[in-house]
Amino acid sequence: MHRRTLLISDIDGTLLSGREPVPKSVIDAAQAFMDRGNLLSFCTGRSLSSAREVYSMLPVNAPSILFGGALLYDFTNAEILSAHYLPPSLPNLIESILSYDSGISVAVSGVEQTWVLRSNEVFEQKALAHDRDGIRTDTLPDSQLLKVLLTSEDPQTLNRMKEHCIPEGLYHAQFASSHFFEIVSITTSKGHAVAELLSLIPGRVRTCGAGDSITDLSLAAAVEAFYAPEDAHTAVLEHARGTFPPAREGGIAQLFGELT
């Protein structure tokens, strides 16, 4: 019996490039892929609000993995399926980071809102609009939080901060790109979220993934077949079964056409 394919795809650098909208060629190819009976899911570090903007262009038909795996969300029914919140020790961590280096920007996100505790040039120029438009505050909000986003002009500063400030066993912390660093709960990763997602999908499916950054390595390990854009991080390319043209060329449309 033919199994449906579930494609779990990263957004930035995979489905779209920079602040550009999803190309029409990608939308059309994705819709044809779903019309063949297959399933499509986002798997992204983006917040719910930011991913919702992409969903408005490309309405996926399976639950999506957001905040790097901290939130599993069903856009079709506007429903939170699971959430992994940061631990109660977070205020101590944030205080430590803010004190460690004044050049590191700090933003924290709950399900629907982002708060910016400190900004810098990298954050203002390169962060997604939803993050840049977050509430400016000097105080950590009294809310359940899912992710901390840090930026610095110098990646080594973020490396040293990690060694100095982040205790082992409480947080999952890694670079999202050369100047962006993400902190989520220790139980959170894209790979762990894939297992949660699969438990909600009825019937047998063939699992495929697509991504371009080192945060997608846990996704690659959790699916049967993983694909990457040709300009993906070298470590990601090493784990890819196949490649497709870069996001700026709408290259993932090729992958949608190849998957049955």
Side-chain angles (χ1 to χ4, degrees), residues 29-42:
Q31 188 59 59
F33 170 78
M34 290 184 282
D35 287 345
R36 295 195 296 272
N38 299 310
L39 300 171
L40 177 60
S41 167
F42 296 145

Side-chain angles (χ1 to χ4, degrees), residues 17-55:
S17 177
R19 297 175 184 174
E20 298 296 318
V22 181
K24 185 177 185 303
S25 60
V26 171
I27 295 171
D28 290 346
Q31 188 59 59
F33 170 78
M34 290 184 282
D35 287 345
R36 295 195 296 272
N38 299 310
L39 300 171
L40 177 60
S41 167
F42 296 145
C43 184
T44 178
R46 285 189 179 222
S47 66
L48 173 57
S49 296
S50 184
R52 194 181 279 131
E53 296 173 2
V54 183
Y55 177 79

Side-chain angles (χ1 to χ4, degrees), residues 165-202:
C165 300
I166 302 178
E168 294 185 7
L170 287 177
Y171 302 95
H172 185 75
Q174 64 179 345
F175 280 92
S177 63
S178 57
H179 301 285
F180 283 70
F181 193 87
E182 297 178 345
I183 303 171
V184 290
S185 75
I186 193 64
T187 58
T188 294
S189 74
K190 289 184 176 181
H192 289 158
V194 170
E196 290 185 302
L197 172 60
L198 289 176
S199 72
L200 301 173
I201 302 295

Side-chain angles (χ1 to χ4, degrees), residues 4-169:
R4 297 181 297 170
T5 295
L6 166 63
L7 176 60
I8 307 167
S9 178
D10 176 45
I11 292 178
D12 297 287
T14 304
L15 274 172
L16 55 78
S17 177
R19 297 175 184 174
E20 298 296 318
V22 181
K24 185 177 185 303
S25 60
V26 171
I27 295 171
D28 290 346
Q31 188 59 59
F33 170 78
M34 290 184 282
D35 287 345
R36 295 195 296 272
N38 299 310
L39 300 171
L40 177 60
S41 167
F42 296 145
C43 184
T44 178
R46 285 189 179 222
S47 66
L48 173 57
S49 296
S50 184
R52 194 181 279 131
E53 296 173 2
V54 183
Y55 177 79
S56 69
M57 295 181 276
L58 176 52
V60 295
N61 61 349
S64 288
I65 297 164
L66 310 178
F67 294 100
L71 189 74
L72 188 62
Y73 189 79
D74 181 356
F75 282 105
T76 302
N77 297 305
E79 179 183 6
I80 295 173
L81 302 176
S82 72
H84 298 265
Y85 294 105
L86 287 157
S89 60
L90 181 64
N92 294 332
L93 174 64
I94 296 300
E95 181 179 355
S96 177
I97 294 170
L98 289 169
S99 300
Y100 179 75
D101 191 300
S102 62
I104 297 175
S105 74
V106 180
V108 297
S109 294
V111 172
E112 290 283 0
Q113 183 62 60
T114 292
W115 294 264
V116 181
L117 281 76
R118 187 165 65 201
S119 186
N120 60 23
E121 187 174 353
V122 174
F123 182 82
E124 296 298 338
Q125 291 186 355
K126 297 183 179 181
L128 293 170
H130 177 78
D131 293 324
R132 287 184 283 111
D133 293 341
I135 297 171
R136 307 290 166 134
T137 179
D138 295 326
T139 306
L140 191 69
D142 184 20
S143 301
Q144 288 186 302
L145 300 174
L146 292 161
K147 190 178 82 169
V148 179
L149 175 66
L150 311 175
T151 72
S152 174
E153 184 64 39
D154 178 18
Q156 290 307 313
T157 296
L158 294 171
N159 265 323
R160 291 190 294 269
M161 176 280 305
K162 179 181 180 181
E163 295 297 322
H164 185 270
C165 300
I166 302 178
E168 294 185 7

